[in-house]
Amino acid sequence: MARRTLIQAINEALRQEMRRDDRIVLLGEDVGRVGGVFRATEGLQQEFGPDRVIDTPLAESAIIGAALGMAVYGLIPVPEIQFDGFLPPAFDHIISHVARIRNRSRGRFTAPMVIRVPHGGGIRALEHHSEAPETFYTHIPGIKVVIPATAYDAKGLLISAIRDPDPVIFFEPKRIYRAFREEVPEEPYTVPLGKARVAREGNDVTLIAWGAMVHVALAAAEKAAAEHGWSCEVLDLRTLSPLDIDAIIASVQKTGRCVVVHEAPRQSGFGGEIAALIGERALLYLEAPVVRVTGFDTAMPYFTLEDYYLPSPERVLKGIAQVMNF
Amino acid sequence: MAQTRGKRTRTASRRVEGWIKPVEPEFETIQILRDDGSYDEASLPDLTDDQMKELYEWMVFARILDQRALNMQRQGRMGTYPPVGGQEAAQVGSAYALEKEDWLFPSYRESAAMMVHGMPPELTFLYWMGREEGAAAPEGVNVFTISIPIATQVPHAVGAAWAARLRGEKKAFLVYFGDGGTSEGDFHEGANFAGVFKAPVVLFCQNNHYAISVPLERQTASRTIAQKAVAYGFPGVRVDGNDVLAVYAVTREAVERARRGEGPTLIEAVTYRYGPHTTADDPTRYRTADEVKEWQERRDPIMRFRRFLESRGLWSEAQEEELQERLRERAAEVVRKAENYPKPEPTNMFDYMYAELPWNLKEQREALLQELAERGEAR
């Protein structure tokens, strides 16, 4: 065991997988020589050479388009899109080809690849550097959407994503890239995709979150217990698509109340999907309507105001109070 | 600001203007067969008489199949179809330059090129009849699936070509797109990647002068498409796309350059589509009958090549009749195969979305099966 930050865990996962399987190549803007703007790929070009850790021209559409060509030709590309706000130019390839090529070709061509994207706000960055676009991708059949909240999961989920036969968008909560260190096994291991994690057990209300918001939900649970004596269960989804519906329903059946927390705007956000699923499958267990604590339906503000935008433990606590007092 | 500007003007006072010169690169259009079928012996590519006749057969077959597809669409037996007519030389000549192990990345109008590279035409028919089973070539046929979003196949081909190079293989990757495609960001990004990584790719533009209704001059202010290669740092070449021998010769050279590791080539094949963009289009709204007639009567790729073959004593009226009859039968067989292909299971739509079906798709698949059972359509 070693104590690792989330980004160190990602670096280690990439390094160990690349040692195991020489079909894996990394490509993207600044991933090689400089090791990525967040240093996720630090030292990898030195170890694996410029043909496996490839600094590409600055073109997100072609990074994903070329990665698709590599994937159908037998490589396992792990492209990095430098920031969440620069993912839109690649959207066409993701929705039109990456997600569809297995189906279009009746399985002759497949696109095993992991698109790594730093995710979310809270680092006082520029415009387009603090977005939470996961919902767009959960709406696309044919890809998987993964987002870890801990260093342990970051390593295990990334290794699973790389070994998965289907394309995965792997969001990395950049706000907690270096926020804490935790015990991470040195050997490679996997954390299964499609399985949520109970981050804290509780009986009165289920808080559902992913990525950096898991820690906000945990802080809110702490407050709820200390200030009101409410027992919150915190469910870290880890994979948004395919969703761990069983874990959600089991927890809600136990608690009868649910608050979903996400950074992205509320309207048509993933919280709505979760609320609908709970309504369809566990309505009679509910003591209160599912409440969403989310970003506002505004553009992500510049960093001076971002703390007002992002859900805080206090705001989540208000959501908890709403379902507790319904 | 004003001060700085003043200073600059003074420094350059002896020459205020004239620093910027128009850049007008010259790209001749390579032709081996003149419009009337005449030629210079020395410029003929290294092809046997049988190969020449094979080229001719492919072009004639492509035109016959194209006619069948158009007729079937009118009869409601096929969906929207993008005809090839007029572009047979550009497609047959280029695809014929590939070896079997090379790869072909088509856009949606490459029925003829795909067939020459081994795609069974009945599958292409099936595709246009609305069936996914027709999208992928059989194992061993190196044809990628059709890309409908314009020019998106360019970075795909570049990525695959680059992967082949990384794996130490010596193969060429031929990717097709149209004049309209060169306006897309993906053309630029793909070409730029290809240049930077010296990918073994041949970028083949069929310049048929129209992107649906928009003419070439509204697509680009460049005098040629070939010249765009200059900016990407690799050769561009302009060829008469209705001259099958010139298309073959130029593509062959580009393919060999790619295989030798010398990097990409951009080929602009100047051609013309006789028909509509697709069967849903009405070309009389944007081009004149005279313009179409001019290409059909004076520059038809098949007539031109037939005259050439006749002038070399390789072709006769009797051979033509025999060929027409034989290919019409083969076309009928293609249609028969496509139309008799087993009906798809409605649940097929679920089966290839993921390697393993997630719970939500499983539930929805079950619901569809239930619905089919209720409708008495259970299988």
Side-chain angles (χ1 to χ4, degrees):
Chain A
M1 287 283 208
R3 294 191 66 77
R4 297 262 189 266
T5 62
L6 194 147
I7 199 159
Q8 284 169 337
I10 285 167
N11 183 273
E12 194 168 270
L14 293 171
R15 186 188 302 274
Q16 290 176 345
E17 284 301 283
M18 289 183 79
R19 283 180 185 160
R20 183 186 61 81
D21 188 339
D22 63 11
R23 293 173 303 167
I24 299 168
V25 296
L26 312 186
L27 66 156
E29 296 154 8
D30 306 294
V31 299
R33 199 166 173 181
V34 79
V37 294
F38 288 103
R39 307 290 180 260
T41 52
E42 183 153 45
L44 300 182
Q45 194 183 59
Q46 283 84 336
E47 178 169 346
F48 300 103
D51 279 349
R52 290 190 64 199
V53 184
I54 306 159
D55 278 321
T56 66
L58 208 166
E60 291 79 11
S61 182
I63 289 170
I64 302 305
L68 175 77
M70 296 172 126
V72 299
Y73 206 72
L75 299 184
I76 302 172
V78 184
E80 176 184 292
I81 297 296
Q82 201 162 68
F83 281 92
D84 33 43
F86 308 144
L87 197 45
F91 195 73
D92 186 11
H93 284 284
I94 295 170
I95 193 169
S96 303
H97 300 296
V98 171
R100 289 180 178 219
I101 192 62
R102 176 190 290 276
N103 181 62
R104 182 186 301 142
S105 67
R106 301 281 99 164
R108 181 176 172 197
F109 301 115
T110 59
M113 65 162 83
V114 181
I115 301 172
R116 292 184 38 250
V117 193
H119 173 277
I123 63 160
R124 305 185 71 71
L126 300 175
E127 192 181 6
H128 309 295
H129 291 65
S130 300
E131 312 295 314
E134 63 273 20
T135 312
F136 294 102
Y137 299 91
T138 60
H139 196 57
I140 302 175
I143 57 173
K144 297 181 178 178
V145 181
V146 174
I147 178 166
T150 66
Y152 180 89
D153 282 349
K155 181 172 172 181
L157 287 169
L158 182 52
I159 290 176
S160 290
I162 289 171
R163 296 180 188 178
D164 198 272
D166 288 311
V168 176
I169 301 204
F170 193 85
F171 287 110
E172 300 170 0
K174 60 172 105 78
R175 176 182 180 179
I176 53 170
Y177 261 156
R178 296 184 168 79
F180 47 80
R181 284 175 188 274
E182 61 181 290
E183 294 296 328
V184 173
E186 282 176 52
E187 66 277 9
Y189 60 92
T190 57
V191 170
L193 305 188
K195 290 275 175 257
R197 170 183 75 103
V198 177
R200 177 188 171 111
E201 289 201 31
N203 296 313
D204 296 330
V205 53
T206 302
L207 307 184
I208 296 179
W210 51 92
M213 285 300 113
V214 170
H215 302 278
V216 173
L218 284 168
E222 204 54 49
K223 274 175 149 340
E227 294 170 20
H228 303 279
W230 295 330
S231 162
C232 296
E233 179 142 302
V234 177
L235 199 58
D236 169 8
L237 289 183
R238 303 198 289 198
T239 300
L240 301 184
S241 183
L243 191 58
D244 188 349
I245 185 68
D246 295 340
I248 293 172
I249 298 305
S251 181
V252 171
Q253 284 179 348
K254 178 171 73 172
T255 62
R257 298 177 189 86
C258 181
V259 176
V260 189
V261 186
H262 62 66
E263 288 185 46
R266 181 169 310 171
Q267 181 169 299
S268 305
F270 201 61
E273 177 66 22
I274 293 169
L277 284 166
I278 293 170
E280 283 169 357
R281 287 158 199 259
L283 184 68
L284 298 181
Y285 291 86
L286 288 179
E287 306 285 343
V290 177
V291 161
R292 293 171 289 170
V293 179
T294 67
F296 299 120
D297 291 339
T298 67
M300 179 70 189
Y302 292 3
F303 61 80
T304 308
L305 297 182
E306 74 175 338
D307 290 342
Y308 295 99
Y309 175 92
L310 293 167
S312 60
E314 294 70 27
R315 208 175 279 164
V316 176
L317 187 58
K318 279 195 171 172
I320 296 169
Q322 216 178 314
V323 294
M324 290 306 297
N325 300 326
F326 181 74
Chain B
M1 267 320 273
Q3 250 184 352
T4 321
R5 208 179 296 141
K7 256 187 212 161
R8 278 199 189 136
T9 311
R10 270 202 302 281
T11 326
S13 59
R14 268 175 295 176
R15 189 172 172 183
V16 198
E17 278 188 353
W19 299 99
I20 300 169
K21 298 234 162 43
V23 181
E24 286 177 4
E26 290 293 331
F27 279 80
E28 59 161 338
T29 305
I30 293 167
Q31 201 179 45
I32 290 175
L33 299 180
R34 289 182 278 272
D35 291 1
D36 62 1
S38 67
Y39 58 95
D40 298 322
E41 189 72 31
S43 63
L44 291 182
D46 188 18
L47 289 167
T48 64
D49 290 350
D50 281 348
Q51 287 175 315
M52 299 266 198
K53 284 192 269 187
E54 203 186 341
L55 281 174
Y56 182 69
E57 279 200 22
W58 280 126
M59 291 202 288
V60 173
F61 194 35
R63 189 162 291 182
I64 290 172
L65 286 173
D66 208 41
Q67 278 308 321
R68 289 302 302 254
L70 288 166
N71 290 339
M72 285 171 70
Q73 194 278 335
R74 277 186 217 110
Q75 296 159 355
R77 293 155 70 193
M78 177 168 285
T80 303
Y81 173 79
V84 174
Q87 300 180 212
E88 292 89 348
Q91 295 194 18
V92 171
S94 54
Y96 198 77
L98 294 177
E99 298 295 333
K100 190 171 187 288
E101 68 267 20
D102 295 324
W103 275 82
L104 188 153
F105 279 65
S107 105
Y108 47 76
R109 203 187 301 286
E110 274 72 62
S111 305
M114 290 161 73
M115 173 171 73
V116 171
H117 201 51
M119 180 75 171
E122 58 271 21
L123 289 184
T124 305
F125 267 59
L126 203 59
Y127 177 86
W128 296 110
M129 289 159 72
R131 300 280 300 272
E132 276 98 342
E133 298 94 317
E139 203 64 49
V141 174
N142 292 349
V143 174
F144 196 54
T145 51
I146 285 172
S147 257
I148 290 183
I150 303 299
T152 52
Q153 68 278 14
V154 178
H156 302 165
V158 171
W162 181 13
R165 220 202 66 193
L166 292 177
R167 285 164 47 157
E169 299 173 351
K170 292 200 183 317
K171 291 181 188 174
F173 291 72
L174 176 59
V175 57
Y176 291 90
F177 48 91
D179 40 309
T182 65
S183 303
E184 289 278 3
D186 272 339
F187 165 75
H188 163 70
E189 293 190 20
N192 187 48
F193 267 52
V196 169
F197 293 108
K198 267 198 147 182
V201 65
V202 179
L203 304 168
F204 194 93
C205 176
Q206 291 176 84
N207 171 5
N208 67 14
H209 295 86
Y210 291 89
I212 305 189
S213 68
V214 178
L216 185 62
E217 62 271 18
R218 300 290 294 195
Q219 209 61 248
T220 178
S222 290
R223 201 192 287 170
T224 67
I225 285 167
Q227 74 196 56
K228 292 174 188 278
V230 176
Y232 300 114
F234 53 77
V237 58
R238 193 167 206 254
V239 62
D240 181 341
N242 285 13
D243 173 352
V244 71
L245 293 183
V247 171
Y248 168 79
V250 163
T251 313
R252 183 79 196 172
E253 192 176 333
V255 162
E256 279 168 4
R257 283 188 75 246
R259 272 203 220 103
R260 286 196 303 264
E262 291 168 26
T265 308
L266 172 63
I267 298 172
E268 174 188 5
V270 183
T271 183
Y272 196 82
R273 108 171 108 76
Y274 293 162
H277 159 68
T278 68
T279 46
D281 171 40
D282 172 11
T284 62
R285 295 172 75 99
Y286 54 83
R287 59 185 198 188
T288 63
D290 283 350
E291 182 183 299
V292 182
K293 212 168 124 194
E294 165 76 14
W295 282 87
Q296 282 180 317
E297 289 181 359
R298 292 204 37 236
R299 314 195 57 191
D300 183 65
I302 296 179
M303 270 317 295
R304 194 193 306 188
F305 196 53
R306 182 177 166 183
R307 281 196 206 104
F308 162 81
L309 292 176
E310 285 170 349
S311 74
R312 291 180 77 80
L314 296 173
W315 206 248
S316 66
E317 192 54 44
Q319 280 170 298
E320 180 70 22
E321 277 171 30
E322 183 275 329
L323 179 72
Q324 288 283 342
E325 198 185 313
R326 180 157 53 85
L327 293 183
R328 276 175 204 290
E329 266 169 38
R330 262 180 68 192
E333 182 58 24
V334 165
V335 173
R336 255 196 308 278
K337 277 189 187 162
E339 293 197 317
N340 292 329
Y341 211 83
K343 279 184 92 172
E345 296 293 334
T347 50
N348 276 6
M349 69 179 91
F350 294 100
D351 296 342
Y352 299 93
M353 287 310 302
Y354 295 91
E356 207 180 312
L357 215 56
W359 64 270
N360 48 335
L361 276 75
K362 267 189 206 151
E363 281 187 6
Q364 292 162 20
R365 190 177 187 279
E366 282 308 310
L368 177 57
L369 279 171
Q370 179 67 34
E371 195 184 308
L372 292 170
E374 285 161 13
R375 293 207 310 230
E377 285 185 40
R379 285 151 202 270

